[in-house]
Amino acid sequence: FSQSFDLSTSLFALALTKRTPIIIYSTANNQEDKMGVLTIYLDKATNLKNEDTMGTSDPYIKFSLEQDNMIKDKDYGDMKSSVKKNDLNPVYGETFHFNIPSLNNMELTVKVMDDDIVSDDKMGKSKIKLEKHGLNATPKEFKEKVYNRVFGKDAYVHLTLKYEE
């Protein structure tokens, strides 16, 4: 049995047992295990629809990140903004970070929610397929429609996204 191995790329041991080579190694340094950072800067939301029957909605934004795979999707978590009381045009100025392996098949869901005592109401939603946008270290602005009105102005969430490996 003769084969060369680069020990610096995480080969831990090579053992021969009854003429059958057994290779034990770590994948910690493989390219697929390197993580990048998706940074989301949540600027503001505009023209949100009031979901409260009494008073004005108390909106917050919920981000969910998922890798859309053919067989099984992989969830990279949820993050949420602060709640803005009685405000249909809230300004956030908040930053969020997701650690992800790449932008391949990644989908960011942006939900606008109304904070209520009993259960929160959905005020709007948008999905962004990150791979399509060629994100890199240079921030890119997004104005995502989260609610389409037949009469009146549509509701939007204003974001800036960047991705660094």
Side-chain angles (χ1 to χ4, degrees), residues 80-141:
K80 89 177 213 183
S81 71
S82 60
V83 175
K84 300 297 182 181
K85 295 284 184 194
N86 302 313
D87 195 346
L88 299 178
N89 292 288
V91 175
Y92 292 94
E94 298 175 25
T95 303
F96 305 88
H97 302 282
F98 284 94
N99 293 323
I100 56 175
S102 73
L103 295 173
N104 295 343
N105 300 322
M106 288 292 179
E107 186 171 76
L108 178 67
T109 301
V110 180
K111 283 186 191 175
V112 182
M113 303 295 292
D114 177 19
D115 185 51
D116 284 330
I117 294 169
V118 178
S119 71
D120 295 352
D121 300 317
K122 186 171 85 171
M123 299 174 71
K125 178 179 174 180
S126 178
K127 291 190 176 202
I128 304 171
K129 294 194 180 293
L130 298 177
E131 187 176 19
K132 288 184 0 181
H133 295 285
L135 296 175
N136 56 36
T138 304
K140 185 173 182 179
E141 291 186 14

Side-chain angles (χ1 to χ4, degrees), residues 3 5 10 16 21 25 47 55 60 63 71 85 91 105 118 124 126 128 132 139 155:
Q3 188 171 357
F5 294 94
S10 72
L16 294 176
Y25 64 96
N47 303 316
Y60 67 90
F63 298 104
I71 297 170
K85 295 284 184 194
V91 175
N105 300 322
V118 178
S126 178
I128 304 171
K132 288 184 0 181

Side-chain angles (χ1 to χ4, degrees), residues 1-16:
F1 176 76
S2 97
Q3 188 171 357
S4 65
F5 294 94
D6 180 3
L7 293 176
S8 67
T9 59
S10 72
L11 176 65
F12 286 141
L14 171 65
L16 294 176

Side-chain angles (χ1 to χ4, degrees), residues 37-82:
V37 178
L38 174 69
T39 301
I40 303 167
Y41 175 74
L42 172 59
D43 182 23
K44 62 185 175 181
T46 54
N47 303 316
L48 298 178
K49 180 180 181 238
N50 189 16
E51 292 293 333
D52 285 350
T53 52
M54 298 171 72
T56 304
S57 291
D58 306 318
Y60 67 90
I61 312 296
K62 182 176 178 182
F63 298 104
S64 301
L65 191 61
E66 180 176 272
Q67 191 171 34
D68 190 17
N69 297 316
M70 289 180 72
I71 297 170
K72 185 178 179 190
D73 294 344
K74 182 161 173 62
D75 183 8
Y76 284 91
D78 300 315
M79 294 189 186
K80 89 177 213 183
S81 71
S82 60

